[in-house]
Amino acid sequence: MQLRLIETTDLHLHLMPYDYYADRPQPGLGLVSAARLITEARAEATNSLLFDNGDFLQGTPLGDVVARRHRGGVVLDHPAIAAMNALGYDAITLGNHEFNYGLDFLLAALDVARFPVVSANLLREPPRGNGHEATLVAPHVLLERQVIDGRGRAQALRIGVIGFCAPQVVQWDGHLLAGRLWSRDIVAAARARVPELRAAGADLVVALAHSGIGPARHSEGMENAAIPLARVEGVDAVLCGHNHLLFPSPLFAEQAEIDVQAGTLAGKPAVMGGCFGAHIGLIDLTLARDGGRWHLLASRSQTRALAEPQPARPTETERRVSACIAPAHAATLDAVRAPVGTSAAPLHSYFAHLGVLPALAAISEAQRQFVTTRLDDPGLAALPVLSAAAPFKSGGRAGPEGYTDVPAGPLALRHIADLYQFPNAIAALRLSGAQILEWLERSAAAFNRIRPGTSDTLLRNPEMPGYHFEVIDALDICLDLSQPARYDPHGALIDAGASRVTEALFQGQPIDPAQDFILCTNSYRVSGTGGYAGASEDNLVFIDRQSVRDVLAGFVAERGQLAPEPRGSLRFAPMPGTSALLETGPGAQKHLHQISGFAPENRGFSRAGFLRLKLDLSKGSAS
């Protein structure tokens, strides 16, 4: 018997093929585009099941529009759930971003789902160690299906489906979930719960893991646990997510316990279908019945994208799914086009790693103004206020179009969302100068080590996403990239004696390690994510339910015109006779004058479509 498993993952509310930030169609993306792939994949298979692997509820301005109209515990006709109902999903699991708008919002959205929602390691009570605590949703489900075997006969098949989420979600959204949600280690939860499915008569167990492909060796609480999960006895297939990557892919060819050709993790069939609906994942299983039970004989894993990003005519399924989304889509277009002010200059993130910081300066100043006026404690109000921001849209896995690019002139809400993508809450920490300096060292892991006298080394470390590169406004920073990094891209200390920060000035004077500061930041960073010194609730002195994005919108509306001037700077220690390569978006070409100090030389485009610029590091600064 043949059985096809179809996966969508990390949709991030890309439902229609539309870019709300640029206010234009974006062919080939979104659940509507994936609907065509799903229809084709179903038509090819005698037996199939459709699953989603989480992170479907947040990610575009449409999510904010829907969240704002939700009140209390009223059941929410969420367009993502309506579209999944229309597509006939068999089951889904929850991702970490499902919780960005709070637990009540999530549960209200799920209330109208016509498919099971499973997660075995998200709990309504603190873990007791036995693995059988009350879970937020059902830990697993047993799907009983009539399938057609190779001889054309109907057969009963019982498919156990179990879900998992990166356990760090309770920290990442701790300000919303504290005292209401707990998590367990993924592998521990699987070992406790998979036997329940087998005891209930499951012929096959499919794990929906909103967890990426990481180390083969298991460690307690690991975020990307797909390989150790695959090793759990009783798990037959693993559908992965969270990484926004594709599997099978040569990217994973050198990792232990991965067979890219076979599409397996620890010998089990697996797939990861990218993100945003641009791809779907497929696992084709061959099962045989022996001794009254079905056994897995063979498998084939693959990912698929549309052959034509913009097919000439929508299918009936696409029209049906689009109809579920259309009212929210129209409301979102109205919202993102609403004017909020003007910008005196272009705001972009093409050169944020080179110290061209107007876009980050706007966020930092909005945070600083909001926090400063709300610090009631006189002792806190007397401290100097710094503000940290990161270029969320700075390429990487988002591709060459994944940059903020707001032209000078009228600003609409879509531009505000372009500047700040995530619904993180505004927060502030009290940190010592020593912790601020350590914060800067952690941020400096964003760069590769550049050997003096060399050329063509990539400037940025591709393993560190832009949202972990922090720039602290009001400080003048100089980094020596010839030195090794103190931290790795994930925030782990690798060399306590290493230092790249050669200068960190506040108001023209070196930072005093003993002096205290207020650092404006966000709830995501306060949770400890990224490994930044002092980023913990122990040092939290202010947090507000208002998102940084709303703070920024209010800041612009109050002033009418946005004319951000960075209050600090970022530069590199000069390295005569040395150059490096920066990969950035093609749109950067119209702003090259802003980095004239690096004498940028156009080296064409990478295979992925990034503009490659050769930079002269002799001067060490953009201008």
Side-chain angles (χ1 to χ4, degrees), residues 166-236:
Q168 288 76 13
V169 62
V170 296
Q171 283 84 46
W172 293 335
D173 277 322
H175 66 296
L176 298 172
L177 303 175
R180 301 191 66 191
L181 188 74
W182 292 263
S183 64
R184 287 198 78 208
D185 174 73
I186 289 174
V187 173
R191 288 171 177 162
R193 295 289 191 172
V194 169
E196 297 174 349
L197 282 169
R198 291 298 186 185
D203 296 304
L204 181 76
V205 172
V206 177
L208 307 182
H210 191 81
S211 178
I213 300 174
R217 183 176 180 180
H218 174 247
S219 59
E220 177 68 25
M222 65 192 300
E223 178 182 346
N224 295 307
I227 299 176
L229 174 61
R231 283 201 301 267
V232 172
E233 185 178 356
V235 170
D236 292 301

Side-chain angles (χ1 to χ4, degrees), residues 74-140:
V74 177
V75 172
L76 179 67
D77 187 17
H78 199 288
I81 302 299
M84 288 180 173
N85 284 338
L87 278 167
Y89 275 76
D90 289 279
I92 70 170
T93 194
L94 302 175
N96 51 289
H97 282 285
E98 264 66 83
F99 299 88
N100 288 167
Y101 298 112
L103 194 55
D104 293 336
F105 177 84
L106 169 61
L107 295 177
L110 296 179
D111 212 36
V112 295
R114 298 200 295 266
F115 43 78
V117 182
V118 295
S119 187
N121 72 319
L122 297 179
L123 314 176
R124 293 180 181 268
E125 58 183 343
R128 298 190 300 267
N130 61 8
H132 296 281
E133 301 87 352
T135 51
L136 177 68
V137 294
H140 44 64

Side-chain angles (χ1 to χ4, degrees), residues 324-339:
C324 299
I325 304 163
H329 176 63
T332 303
L333 292 178
D334 289 342
V336 300
R337 292 166 178 168

Side-chain angles (χ1 to χ4, degrees), residues 306-475:
L306 286 174
E308 301 175 67
Q310 194 169 14
R313 185 177 301 173
T315 64
E316 174 57 35
T317 303
E318 289 172 278
R319 287 193 290 268
R320 187 171 69 251
V321 175
S322 295
C324 299
I325 304 163
H329 176 63
T332 303
L333 292 178
D334 289 342
V336 300
R337 292 166 178 168
V340 293
T342 62
S343 176
L347 304 172
H348 63 82
S349 60
Y350 294 120
F351 308 130
H353 286 74
L354 300 179
V356 179
L357 305 171
L360 297 188
I363 298 167
S364 292
E365 189 56 37
Q367 291 179 157
R368 186 191 344 265
Q369 188 272 341
F370 188 87
V371 170
T372 300
T373 58
R374 287 162 176 79
L375 289 176
D376 299 326
D377 186 325
L380 296 176
L383 296 176
V385 180
L386 307 175
S387 191
F392 294 129
K393 296 180 69 176
S394 52
R397 293 176 185 172
E401 301 302 319
Y403 291 82
T404 292
D405 192 349
V406 177
L411 289 176
L413 277 176
R414 69 182 178 91
H415 298 121
I416 302 300
D418 199 358
L419 286 165
Y420 204 99
Q421 272 192 294
F422 299 103
N424 301 327
I426 182 76
L429 300 164
R430 180 174 184 164
L431 299 179
S432 68
Q435 289 172 313
I436 294 292
L437 291 170
E438 201 67 20
W439 195 288
L440 298 173
E441 290 287 359
R442 162 67 186 105
S443 182
F447 302 98
N448 284 319
R449 189 178 187 181
I450 310 295
R451 302 284 183 180
T454 61
S455 61
D456 295 345
T457 300
L458 279 177
L459 184 73
R460 287 183 58 182
N461 187 330
E463 294 300 313
M464 183 162 158
Y467 55 78
H468 281 331
F469 174 60
E470 293 266 326
V471 177
I472 299 181
D473 198 58
L475 298 184

